Structure formats: structure tokens, C-alpha cells
Amino acid sequence: MTNDIFCVGLTRTELQTLKVLLPITFPIMIADPDTLENAVIEHITNQARCIVLNPKRLSEEQLTWFLYDQDYLRTHYHPVPILLFSEPMIREQNRAIPMPEFPILVIDLHKRIDRNRKLAIKLLQESSLPCWQNRKTMRNNMFNDAWYLIDIETTGLDVWKDRIIAIRFSKMANFEVHGESTIYIRQPEPLPENITNLTGITDDMLEHGVSLEEAIEELDALPCKSIPFVFTDEDYTTGFLNAAFLRCGKALDRPYLAIDKLANIPFGYLMQRRARNIPSLADPESTEDLLFDTELQELYALTKCTFDALMNRYDVRCPGQFDKLYAAELSNV
């Protein structure tokens, strides 16, 4: 899978709209419906990150092969491209073509605002930049060197109104986890019942915890400032950590990697960015019934499988080689 976006049967106006909407790291490739044989369709499906089709310009056989090839990749644990229709199928196609179990988004490239189009662009942007912060600092940190896996629990989703109640972390080195620690943070008021049920954290546990300042000091004092943090969800985790560091008069200046966004590159669409699903993509037989006791175990599974896939599929062995994953040259961030 590359970052190529293949467009089949689109008008000049629709192509121009895509060029404006897409990140620069996604080149648009145009395919003529009249030249699409089954072998060409298979090649496109294996190469593309996204395929935008106008069903009305394709034959029933061509459309069936696009759907079949995408489903084949999904069921055989390969990276799966996003498949988009620029128009709905006609009645005859709906009757003749077996549709896959998963939905196919129909986007409108003429409207100013279209919900499906916005969703598709968001999925593509999440596999673009940024996947990390301060990549230059990570340049010499090989994947078999140290990483800190970080998970947080909060009282809600609002960065400024809600609070961090626990920070879990462990050190990953040579693809093994070394220890797991949890910092509980005292709270000025009792936890809502739904938060206790969701996280398993009780007021008694927090009562014996530390202040926010002490928690941030402990996190900031983890050895070696060049060892990156690894998060599952960048927006959620960095949002709360940045706010907490600011409240304590500090700045979150350690490099970090958004593993959920990076995992989009080797695993593609439909992986749903869930750590529980990723190991089955890498090795379905050995991890079919795999269960995780903690969020950090899930994060480790996602990180290990993503790193393995980057090395095996793209020969990317350190953050300094992330440029191989993109069509355009990356800035030294």
C-alpha cells in the first residue's frame, strides 16, 4: 500500500476538488475506466490508500472486481484501501452486484459541505502528518531501543473542565515491557459513579495518591529525555497532558509518537485503530483469542505489531526513515 489516491471516472471539477481537500502527501492517480482489466484493478487495490469511483462509468464486472479485491484484502489480513463512490450505483448495478458487509461511503464532490466526504478526508489525514512530535529528537532511537508506553484515565473528555485521575506507564525495550507503574492523583471531589464503573478506579485509591504537581514531576523526571512517549490516542492523551503540564508551570517537551495514526499506514482502512484488532492482522492464528488485562498491554500489542509491519513491509527501522512512508519529503519536525 502506498499513499496514492486512485480516481476512476471522475470529472475534471471533481478531481480539482480532491486536490484541494487532500494533504500534499497524497498524490492523485487517474485511471481510465476503458483500460481497466481485472489485473489492473487488482494492482490498483493493492497499491492505493483510497480509491474514488464513479459507478456509472464502470461496468458491472469492473465494479464487482473492485469490491471483491477490497474484501479479499480485508479477509486475508492485508492493508485495505478506502473505497468511495462519487455517485450512487444505478438500479441495475444494485440488483446485479453483491455488496460487501461493510458500508461503502458515497461522497459528493460538488457540495460545499458533505459529511461522508469530511469523514473520508479525516481518515486519510490521520494517516498523514503528524504521526509524531519532534521526530528529529527520535532520529537515532531505533525501534528496538526504549519507549515509554503511556495511558491516562480522566473524569471526562473536556481537557480544561475534566481532570486526570491516573497515569499508567511502562518502559518498552527490545520489544519487551519492563514493569508497569500507576500514579494515582488525589481529587478535590468524589468521582462520578460512571467514571468509577468505567475505569475501575475508586475514591479510596485516589485518597492515597499524590497531587497533580507531584504526578507531573514524576512523569517529567522519567530517565532520558530523548526516549519518546507512545500514546494510543494522540488528541485525547496529549490534550490532557499538555493542560496538566501547563497547570504545573511546565511544558510537555518530550518527543512522542501517535501510534494509532502511524498504524493506519501499514494496516490501512477498516482496522478501526483498535489495539485489540491489530494483533490479528499481524498473526491471526496465534492471537485469535488474545485478551488484554490492561490498556498498556493493548498499547504494547498495537505498538509491537505496527513496528513489525513497518520493518517487514517498508524496511523502516527508525523514525529517521519515516520519509519512506510518504510520497512528499517530510520536514524535520
Side-chain angles (χ1 to χ4, degrees):
M1 175 181 282
T2 67
N3 270 1
D4 295 337
I5 309 295
F6 278 85
C7 299
V8 185
L10 270 60
T11 66
R12 182 177 299 178
T13 301
E14 290 173 333
L15 289 171
Q16 186 61 37
T17 301
L18 277 180
K19 290 179 181 178
V20 171
L21 293 173
L22 289 172
I24 62 171
T25 50
F26 290 89
I28 292 179
M29 315 293 289
I30 302 172
D32 184 353
D34 295 334
T35 64
L36 290 183
E37 299 177 350
N38 292 346
V40 177
I41 292 174
E42 182 179 352
H43 172 75
I44 289 174
T45 310
N46 278 282
Q47 179 174 338
R49 184 163 298 279
C50 177
I51 306 170
V52 187
L53 305 173
N54 183 340
K56 296 179 180 179
R57 296 282 309 280
L58 274 70
S59 68
E60 292 178 1
E61 182 183 14
Q62 289 173 327
L63 200 52
T64 299
W65 271 101
F66 272 113
L67 296 174
Y68 172 81
D69 286 343
Q70 187 199 38
D71 200 42
Y72 178 88
L73 293 174
R74 179 181 66 87
T75 55
H76 287 75
Y77 310 101
H78 295 298
V80 181
I82 301 174
L83 192 58
L84 306 173
F85 287 171
S86 64
E87 291 191 43
M89 293 194 301
I90 60 177
R91 183 180 302 176
E92 290 75 12
Q93 289 174 328
N94 274 314
R95 290 174 178 172
I97 299 173
M99 293 300 292
E101 297 178 4
F102 50 88
I104 301 293
L105 290 180
V106 179
I107 64 173
D108 193 323
L109 291 167
H110 299 282
K111 286 183 179 179
R112 185 174 181 180
I113 299 176
D114 178 67
R115 178 179 296 182
N116 286 344
R117 187 183 71 201
K118 183 178 180 180
L119 172 61
I121 296 298
K122 181 176 183 292
L123 289 171
L124 290 170
Q125 288 174 332
E126 287 183 351
S127 61
S128 180
L129 298 174
C131 285
W132 53 81
Q133 179 268 340
N134 201 357
R135 183 173 63 100
K136 185 177 180 180
T137 305
M138 292 189 282
R139 179 167 294 277
N140 294 320
N141 192 293
M142 299 296 289
F143 284 163
N144 61 340
D145 287 343
W147 300 76
Y148 287 118
L149 308 178
I150 304 291
D151 177 66
I152 64 173
E153 299 287 357
T154 64
T155 58
L157 299 177
D158 191 304
V159 169
W160 298 108
K161 292 182 180 179
D162 295 306
R163 306 176 304 278
I164 299 176
I165 57 177
I167 303 174
R168 300 188 180 97
F169 62 91
S170 61
K171 187 176 182 181
M172 184 183 87
N174 295 315
F175 291 98
E176 294 181 355
V177 173
H178 301 272
E180 182 172 321
S181 301
T182 302
I183 307 172
Y184 293 109
I185 302 172
R186 294 193 299 269
Q187 301 297 311
E189 55 191 39
L191 290 178
E193 183 178 354
N194 66 310
I195 298 300
T196 295
N197 293 336
L198 179 66
T199 64
I201 297 174
T202 66
D203 290 322
D204 289 339
M205 297 164 68
L206 299 183
E207 185 179 352
H208 297 90
V210 300
S211 66
L212 177 65
E213 290 75 13
E214 291 172 310
I216 294 302
E217 182 65 34
E218 182 174 348
L219 192 64
D220 195 38
L222 288 175
C224 191
K225 285 288 188 178
S226 65
I227 296 180
F229 286 163
V230 179
F231 309 133
T232 301
D233 187 322
E234 180 187 24
D235 295 336
Y236 170 75
T237 307
T238 59
F240 273 98
L241 287 182
N242 275 318
F245 270 72
L246 285 173
R247 289 189 180 106
C248 299
K250 292 178 173 288
L252 179 59
D253 55 4
R254 186 182 290 265
Y256 67 76
L257 187 69
I259 197 66
D260 57 342
K261 295 182 179 179
L262 188 61
N264 255 327
I265 293 173
F267 296 114
Y269 185 48
L270 298 177
M271 72 152 205
Q272 300 174 340
R273 297 194 310 281
R274 293 177 182 269
R276 200 176 296 272
N277 296 342
I278 298 304
S280 66
L281 295 177
D283 189 355
E285 294 183 1
S286 64
T287 57
E288 184 176 1
D289 300 319
L290 185 61
L291 296 176
F292 301 106
D293 294 327
T294 69
E295 296 293 331
L296 284 180
Q297 288 181 9
E298 287 193 5
L299 176 55
Y300 169 70
L302 172 59
T303 304
K304 182 181 184 302
C305 290
T306 300
F307 286 179
D308 282 342
L310 290 176
M311 289 190 290
N312 295 332
R313 296 179 185 174
Y314 300 95
D315 195 32
V316 171
R317 299 178 180 275
C318 69
Q321 297 175 338
F322 281 168
D323 305 69
K324 295 181 180 181
L325 305 174
Y326 299 94
E329 185 176 350
L330 300 177
S331 59
N332 225 358
V333 294

